[in-house]
């Protein structure tokens, strides 16, 4: 709730997180729909022609040895079409986002999970001990 502007998420990302949570219980279970219901996350579908075009331009397109799936492609499509920032831990996605936002001439942040946790600590939303615990568990 402290993060501004509002956070958006696509159904593809929600499905991927649920799948990983079920297949890898050691990561913990994340029910992102709870955050949607609480209006912490805003769920958005690909709703414009531009978003759809960007999505299919990325979906399963090889970036070196990496192929973007539905989650990565939908994240890029919504963020680039609407000039939103992104939160993503995949270096290839952030690199593509940063390159495209230069071409499209807009300014928006690109964060990793670690950077979000550090911002939360800086804004005293989590303690330094909690930050350390999160970093040990996640990284």
């Amino acid at each position: 709730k402290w993060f501004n502007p509002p956070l958006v998420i696509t159904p593809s990302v929600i499905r991927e997180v649920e799948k990983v949570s079920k297949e890898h219980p050691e990561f913990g279970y994340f029910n992102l729909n709870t955050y949607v219901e609480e209006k912490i996350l805003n769920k958005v579908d690909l709703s414009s022609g531009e978003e759809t075009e960007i999505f299919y331009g990325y979906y399963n397109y090889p970036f070196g040895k990496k192929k973007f799936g539905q989650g990565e492609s939908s994240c890029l499509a919504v963020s680039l079409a609407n000039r939103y920032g992104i939160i993503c831990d995949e270096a290839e996605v952030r690199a593509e986002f940063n390159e495209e936002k230069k071409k499209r001439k807009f300014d928006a942040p690109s964060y990793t999970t670690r950077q979000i946790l550090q911002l939360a600590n800086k804004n005293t939303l989590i303690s330094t001990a909690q930050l350390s615990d999160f970093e040990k568990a996640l990284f």
Side-chain angles (χ1 to χ4, degrees), residues 4-126:
N4 195 14
L7 296 169
V8 300
I9 192 165
T10 64
S12 296
V13 172
I14 292 172
R15 283 191 300 274
E16 285 184 19
V17 169
E18 286 177 352
K19 181 180 177 194
V20 169
S21 289
K22 288 177 185 172
E23 292 175 355
H24 299 280
E26 66 272 19
F27 294 139
Y29 180 72
F30 297 101
N31 182 355
L32 296 177
N33 283 311
T34 301
Y35 297 102
V36 172
E37 291 165 8
E38 294 174 6
K39 300 192 184 323
I40 295 169
L41 293 173
N42 299 301
K43 184 165 67 171
V44 297
D45 292 308
L46 301 181
S47 58
S48 72
E50 181 182 12
E51 289 170 345
T52 303
E53 184 178 326
I54 294 170
F55 172 83
Y56 283 109
Y58 285 119
Y59 183 57
N60 281 330
Y61 183 80
F63 285 79
K65 294 181 180 181
K66 172 84 175 158
K67 285 189 175 185
F68 291 168
Q70 289 184 359
E72 294 94 343
S73 299
S74 66
C75 179
L76 282 166
V78 170
S79 63
L80 292 171
N82 296 290
R83 294 173 155 65
Y84 295 154
I86 63 167
I87 300 171
C88 184
D89 289 328
E90 295 189 42
E92 296 90 350
V93 173
R94 284 192 323 279
E96 180 62 20
F97 172 79
N98 289 325
E99 191 63 36
E100 275 299 306
K101 77 177 187 179
K102 286 179 198 171
K103 291 178 189 173
R104 294 168 182 263
K105 297 183 173 129
F106 73 94
D107 187 33
S110 170
Y111 293 113
T112 63
T113 301
R114 176 173 274 150
Q115 290 169 319
I116 293 297
L117 290 169
Q118 291 168 341
L119 282 171
N121 175 252
K122 181 180 174 182
N123 287 287
T124 65
L125 298 166
I126 61 173

Side-chain angles (χ1 to χ4, degrees), residues 89 112-115 117 131-139:
D89 289 328
T112 63
T113 301
R114 176 173 274 150
Q115 290 169 319
L117 290 169
L131 172 63
S132 178
D133 289 345
F134 283 133
E135 287 183 330
K136 285 177 191 170
L138 295 172
F139 310 109

